[in-house]
Amino acid sequence: MFSKALFLTCLIFSCVESARILGIFPMPGISHYILTSKLMKGLAEAGHDVVMVSPYGMKDPPKNGKYTDVILDDFAEVFEKMNQIDLFGHSKRWMVFSMKEVIDVMMIGTRNTLRNPGLMNLVESKEHFDVVIIEEFLNDALKVYSHLFNCPLIILSSVGPNSKVNSVIGNPQPMAYVAHMQMRRFSSRISLLDRMTNLFQHVLSYTLSELLFVPKNERIMQEMYPGAPSISELNNNVALVLLNSHASLYEPQHLVPNMIEIGGYFIDPPKPLPEDLQEYMDNATDGVIYFSMGSNLKSKDLPEERKRMFLNIFGRLKQRVIWKFEEDLPGKPSNVLIKKWCPQQDILAHPNMRLFITHGGLLSTTETIYHGVPILAIPVFGDQPANAARAEASGFALQLDYNAPDFTEDKLDFLIRELLTNPSYKEVVQNKSRIFHDRPIKPMQTAVYWVDYVIRHRGAPHLRAAASKLAWYELYMVDVGAIMVVILAALLYTGKIVVWKIVGSIRRRRANKQKLS
């Protein structure tokens, strides 16, 4: 196996020729930047000339290839202001209001990206790029850059296959069993109610996209570049979709040839821990629990009653606890260590890790599978509930929704002790970890190979499914079905007329016979 992997790796990198790659990623969330910057850094280290447009400058630029940052001014500052919002309280609002705010923010960000001086200078300079890469996230207007630079377009999907990228690329998504990313329930046997809910979610997503997201992006794009091809035409230029997913993370589903799974490509091999954390974890004879709500949610914003609930439970445990907490926390038990920042991947890699309490973000879920650590998921918003449900259904996690009415100290205590004492969760996640690592080549090398493939084959049109060029009513045969219904109705109507004429004729003959007799 090792020799085969080594041969494939050597083959990949022996075929690489330096290309110019433009990545445009205005989403200012830290988790999104981790995904996009890791991809662009990997491409640069493979020998390419990479230009990355984003709200941040790369702190650890690649040592190989050529790399250039184009900073989107003020984007990070705007995001920091948004981060002051109490997202725990915000999650209780009706979904429609939260969705509207997200859409408004994304539309402003997309417009500001198109008008960014650094990016406008790139367009005006008529520089050559071999491929443009964007992250698919309510920002269809950015696809215009593949037209402006006359090159193929690659999409990065940060949440794996979903209704949006599936419709763009023409990937089948049977709604009887392929769950929408907002579905909160998963089971081996999908019930009638689940299928009805799933159908509603898929139809709602497509309707919102076609009637709201895409038209808004179309207007923003045409304001800046009048006469540019429509977004539906630009979608036809999508050569490849890189999916942050893998069989160890998602349930099996269809993927057309130009959809490639690279889930976990952002994870680096474990590094030594800082001295204090190393000593703390090495001496934890009963194991360590790591608690983090991610980069956007702040543990300091938890209500005092919830903070006290966690501290009460932790104080009764024999395990040590590392809690990513953004300020001092008075009254904490002696077995709880507070850290404003934590090297999460390196903590999860420690052999004394017993449990990861997390918000259920996809990056954290991927990392816990990579390292084989069970989780207690406390989802709050976005894709977190679906990730938590998927993890629980897989058997390596339990979940307690942050807004659940039964979020009590007793329930939380029970779930934590169940995960610590029942070995099945550890067994399942370690098996998942073996599946995650069992690949012919590493996910970053897979990403590099397929980007190179698209460049070598000038967009690789031979990989694109014909479904990507069909309207929804053509793809699902609605027009054919409608014609068949009309024909059937016409035949039935015609048949009815013929039958009545025959019946009428028979009646008249009988009536005539009766008169003659």
Side-chain angles (χ1 to χ4, degrees):
M1 175 61 75
F2 174 76
S3 59
K4 183 184 290 185
L6 181 62
F7 170 75
L8 287 170
T9 302
C10 294
L11 179 64
I12 287 170
F13 287 101
S14 66
C15 295
V16 170
E17 294 182 4
S18 180
R20 294 210 74 206
I21 300 174
L22 174 63
I24 306 174
F25 308 108
M27 186 66 183
I30 299 300
S31 58
H32 290 267
Y33 182 72
I34 289 172
L35 288 174
T36 55
S37 63
K38 288 283 188 180
L39 176 61
M40 301 310 284
K41 184 177 181 179
L43 291 169
E45 289 180 338
H48 293 303
D49 180 355
V50 171
V51 177
M52 180 169 176
V53 181
S54 79
Y56 310 100
M58 192 175 290
K59 295 179 181 178
D60 182 25
K63 298 177 177 61
N64 299 323
K66 184 179 178 184
Y67 178 85
T68 305
D69 272 317
V70 176
I71 308 297
L72 296 170
D73 300 324
D74 301 329
F75 273 57
E77 288 78 1
V78 170
F79 182 71
E80 286 302 319
K81 290 179 181 177
M82 289 173 57
N83 245 3
Q84 304 305 314
I85 299 172
D86 176 11
L87 293 175
F88 292 105
H90 195 70
S91 67
K92 298 177 182 177
R93 301 182 63 195
W94 284 7
M95 183 183 69
V96 65
F97 295 124
S98 298
M99 185 179 295
K100 181 182 184 305
E101 289 181 1
V102 171
I103 294 169
D104 291 342
V105 169
M106 290 305 302
M107 294 306 105
I108 293 171
T110 301
R111 179 180 280 108
N112 291 345
T113 301
L114 290 167
R115 297 182 180 279
N116 178 263
L119 197 46
M120 290 174 66
N121 288 339
L122 272 181
V123 174
E124 292 168 3
S125 68
K126 300 190 183 300
E127 290 194 42
H128 168 75
F129 287 98
D130 295 287
V131 71
V132 169
I133 305 177
I134 68 168
E135 180 189 8
E136 182 76 56
F137 202 90
L138 305 179
N139 54 5
D140 293 89
L142 300 184
K143 294 170 184 174
V144 72
Y145 289 105
S146 67
H147 164 71
L148 297 173
F149 291 108
N150 191 29
C151 63
L153 176 65
I154 293 177
I155 286 175
L156 171 65
S157 174
S158 58
V159 291
N162 57 76
S163 57
K164 176 60 176 175
V165 295
N166 285 342
S167 63
V168 168
I169 209 75
N171 188 51
Q173 47 182 5
M175 286 169 263
Y177 63 89
V178 174
H180 188 273
M181 64 179 292
Q182 295 296 331
M183 281 289 287
R184 297 182 176 222
R185 295 176 58 190
F186 291 83
S187 61
S188 57
R189 182 173 177 81
I190 303 173
S191 68
L192 174 61
L193 179 61
D194 287 340
R195 285 184 283 123
M196 290 175 63
T197 305
N198 198 39
L199 174 62
F200 172 77
Q201 293 278 17
H202 277 286
V203 172
L204 178 63
S205 290
Y206 185 84
T207 303
L208 287 174
S209 178
E210 293 302 305
L211 299 183
L212 188 61
F213 307 150
V214 172
K216 280 179 176 285
N217 274 275
E218 190 87 57
R219 287 193 295 273
I220 291 170
M221 182 182 71
Q222 293 295 337
E223 286 172 8
M224 190 66 192
Y225 296 106
S230 67
I231 287 173
S232 62
E233 292 174 292
L234 293 172
N235 283 337
N236 292 332
N237 198 35
V238 176
L240 184 73
V241 177
L242 296 172
L243 300 165
N244 184 31
S245 59
H246 184 255
S248 59
L249 298 164
Y250 282 80
E251 63 279 2
Q253 52 187 291
H254 302 281
L255 297 177
V256 291
N258 58 340
M259 298 182 85
I260 305 299
E261 292 191 305
I262 56 170
Y265 70 94
F266 62 92
I267 301 178
D268 295 321
K271 301 184 293 296
L273 287 164
E275 188 174 339
D276 61 333
L277 280 175
Q278 188 71 50
E279 182 180 355
Y280 186 80
M281 296 192 73
D282 286 346
N283 295 328
T285 54
D286 293 305
V288 176
I289 297 171
Y290 175 55
F291 181 17
S292 171
M293 293 300 286
S295 56
N296 295 330
L297 292 162
K298 309 293 184 186
S299 289
K300 69 179 181 63
D301 294 330
L302 285 165
E304 291 301 320
E305 167 256 330
R306 292 279 172 99
K307 293 176 188 175
R308 185 53 48 192
M309 187 185 299
F310 281 108
L311 291 177
N312 290 342
I313 295 170
F314 293 156
R316 296 193 292 265
L317 297 173
K318 58 184 179 179
Q319 287 78 18
R320 290 185 173 184
V321 178
I322 300 172
W323 189 351
K324 178 180 172 291
F325 201 92
E326 297 74 27
E327 59 189 21
D328 293 332
L329 184 59
K332 67 179 181 63
S334 59
N335 66 327
V336 175
L337 176 66
I338 297 299
K339 283 285 185 180
K340 294 181 180 179
W341 177 85
C342 293
Q344 179 165 296
Q345 293 186 35
D346 305 325
I347 289 175
L348 293 175
H350 196 282
N352 285 342
M353 269 300 304
R354 294 293 179 269
L355 175 64
F356 180 20
I357 303 177
T358 171
H359 62 311
L362 184 55
L363 272 64
S364 292
T365 306
T366 305
E367 289 167 0
T368 202
I369 289 176
Y370 180 99
H371 295 291
V373 179
I375 63 173
L376 171 60
I378 304 175
V380 181
F381 64 89
D383 66 326
Q384 297 162 17
N387 296 333
R390 189 181 296 111
E392 186 175 48
S394 295
F396 65 89
L398 294 175
Q399 65 164 321
L400 182 58
D401 193 290
Y402 178 79
N403 293 313
D406 60 343
F407 197 117
T408 63
E409 185 171 323
D410 288 343
K411 179 67 176 288
L412 193 59
D413 183 83
F414 169 79
L415 295 176
I416 290 174
R417 291 182 185 276
E418 167 68 12
L419 287 160
L420 289 172
T421 57
N422 188 335
S424 67
Y425 301 100
K426 182 75 171 180
E427 292 168 4
V428 170
V429 76
Q430 287 184 334
N431 183 57
K432 286 277 186 183
S433 184
R434 287 190 288 272
I435 295 170
F436 180 96
H437 290 283
D438 192 357
R439 313 188 198 191
I441 58 174
K442 294 184 181 300
M444 179 60 80
Q445 295 168 349
T446 302
V448 171
Y449 171 82
W450 282 102
V451 171
D452 289 340
Y453 186 94
V454 165
I455 294 171
R456 286 198 303 271
H457 295 282
R458 302 180 183 277
H462 56 283
L463 296 181
R464 303 179 197 180
S468 62
K469 296 180 173 61
L470 298 178
W472 67 270
Y473 55 86
E474 295 173 318
L475 181 61
Y476 294 106
M477 305 285 279
V478 174
D479 51 349
V480 174
I483 291 172
M484 292 178 68
V485 167
V486 170
I487 292 173
L488 180 61
L491 289 173
L492 290 173
Y493 181 74
T494 303
K496 179 181 177 181
I497 293 175
V498 170
V499 168
W500 278 110
K501 284 186 175 180
I502 292 172
V503 170
S505 176
I506 292 172
R507 285 177 176 174
R508 284 193 297 274
R509 288 179 182 178
R510 286 180 178 176
N512 291 335
K513 285 182 180 180
Q514 289 175 355
K515 288 179 182 179
L516 292 173
S517 62

